[in-house]
Amino acid sequence: MRVMVDPRVNQFLGMVNDLEEAARVLPRWPKRKVEGPSGGGSGSAVLVNVSGLDLAREIHAVLVPWCDLAAEECGLEELDPAWSSWTRTPSGAWVATGGNTAEVARWLRSNAGFVVARAWYVDEMWPELFELRRKARGLMGLWRPSRSMRDLVIEAATSGGTLEEMREVARARRTEG
């Protein structure tokens, strides 16, 4: 007997793995040189990668509420609060500001089937995770435009047409088959 697995589960697992890896790597990503005073005189430079640190924390801060929502709706064991650092918002709510993203990702992987079955997965969660992965790849220099977009840019450059004209041509080609 063959068991059918929702193909969204594998897609989701890949996304969670990518975000976990990004959160692990980004804080140690090669730092960009930022000119300015650093206490060593006006001519000194400070090496920082604040963007990497911030994005790693953002990844964690986005994943935790999704875990909480899934746990609440599916009756699953909640995340261990010790996996996150927390801060209170002006409205009095507590939000995760960073922590052990590897444990949060492990929780998501172990409950992937429940998560992808939720009504909010496709319309809300997936686009948010997709955007986070796009930001991470962009910061690491791993983002590349799609092949069709590169082809359009090349065609526009060689034909003298505008990018919008090339998009119209591409739409017409897709419609025709």
Side-chain angles (χ1 to χ4, degrees):
M1 185 166 105
R2 191 169 189 180
V3 177
M4 295 300 292
V5 177
D6 186 337
R8 295 176 301 170
V9 171
N10 284 336
Q11 186 181 39
F12 177 70
L13 292 172
M15 176 66 76
V16 169
N17 290 341
D18 288 351
L19 291 173
E20 176 188 8
E21 180 71 9
R24 185 182 63 77
V25 169
L26 283 168
R28 294 183 296 279
W29 199 251
K31 300 173 183 176
R32 288 186 271 172
K33 190 173 183 178
V34 178
E35 299 295 331
S38 64
S42 61
S44 64
V46 180
L47 295 178
V48 295
N49 189 354
V50 174
S51 299
L53 290 169
D54 287 346
L55 188 51
R57 288 181 180 146
E58 182 181 351
I59 289 169
H60 184 88
V62 166
L63 294 179
V64 167
W66 286 117
C67 293
D68 291 344
L69 181 59
E72 180 182 315
E73 285 191 11
C74 301
L76 303 170
E77 183 180 342
E78 293 182 352
L79 289 177
D80 185 340
W83 294 344
S84 299
S85 51
W86 299 87
T87 191
R88 189 180 283 258
T89 65
S91 68
W94 287 95
V95 294
T97 57
N100 190 340
T101 307
E103 286 297 326
V104 174
R106 183 192 58 72
W107 188 96
L108 281 167
R109 281 191 297 270
S110 67
N111 295 295
F114 293 106
V115 171
V116 301
R118 306 313 313 160
W120 40 257
Y121 171 72
V122 172
D123 294 329
E124 297 172 44
M125 184 182 193
W126 181 258
E128 186 171 22
L129 299 182
F130 189 83
E131 178 62 17
L132 274 177
R133 184 176 65 182
R134 187 199 62 74
K135 283 183 187 178
R137 286 179 174 175
L139 188 61
M140 293 187 286
L142 301 175
W143 179 84
R144 285 196 264 161
S146 68
R147 183 182 182 115
S148 61
M149 181 55 86
R150 287 192 308 272
D151 291 347
L152 283 174
V153 170
I154 291 168
E155 191 173 335
T158 58
S159 71
T162 67
L163 188 55
E164 189 53 42
E165 290 170 341
M166 294 301 111
R167 283 187 178 140
E168 288 300 320
V169 169
R171 283 186 202 112
R173 287 180 188 162
R174 281 193 304 268
T175 304
E176 293 170 3

